[in-house]
Amino acid sequence: MEFNLPFDLNRFKAMPHDKAFFMPYTSCKAINNEKITLGYHAFMFVIEGKKTVSFTSGTKTADPDHFFFLPAAKCVMSTFAL
């Protein structure tokens, strides 16, 4: 399955199309190598667990209390719980 974010999230459909917005996301389980298409550039803040995102140009990993910039593109994303 491939997700098109943020468009596949029900909350996004009701939001205005502003130039910037905040969308909290929580995962209750580990997700491994999920195919994602990011429709917008994004800053991802990791509160707990660990997030790994792979693009054709390389892989980025963030631990708790870190953030990273994600360009609008196709990627593979994994989330690991602590």
Side-chain angles (χ1 to χ4, degrees):
M1 180 174 204
E2 184 170 335
F3 292 99
N4 188 355
L5 299 179
F7 306 107
D8 287 344
L9 299 175
N10 289 334
R11 294 175 289 194
F12 183 77
K13 293 174 183 168
M15 295 174 64
H17 293 281
D18 293 333
K19 292 185 179 192
F21 53 90
F22 176 77
M23 185 175 297
Y25 170 79
T26 303
S27 178
C28 299
K29 62 180 183 171
I31 300 168
N32 195 25
N33 295 330
E34 192 72 52
K35 293 179 182 178
I36 306 288
T37 299
L38 296 171
Y40 290 90
H41 301 306
F43 282 102
M44 183 169 296
F45 297 89
V46 179
I47 305 301
E48 59 184 42
K50 183 177 178 180
K51 175 77 74 180
T52 300
V53 183
S54 297
F55 294 92
T56 55
S57 60
T59 298
K60 297 180 180 184
T61 299
D63 293 313
D65 299 327
H66 289 95
F67 73 93
F68 52 122
F69 175 76
L70 301 173
K74 290 186 180 230
C75 63
V76 175
M77 195 174 293
S78 297
T79 302
F80 305 98
L82 285 177

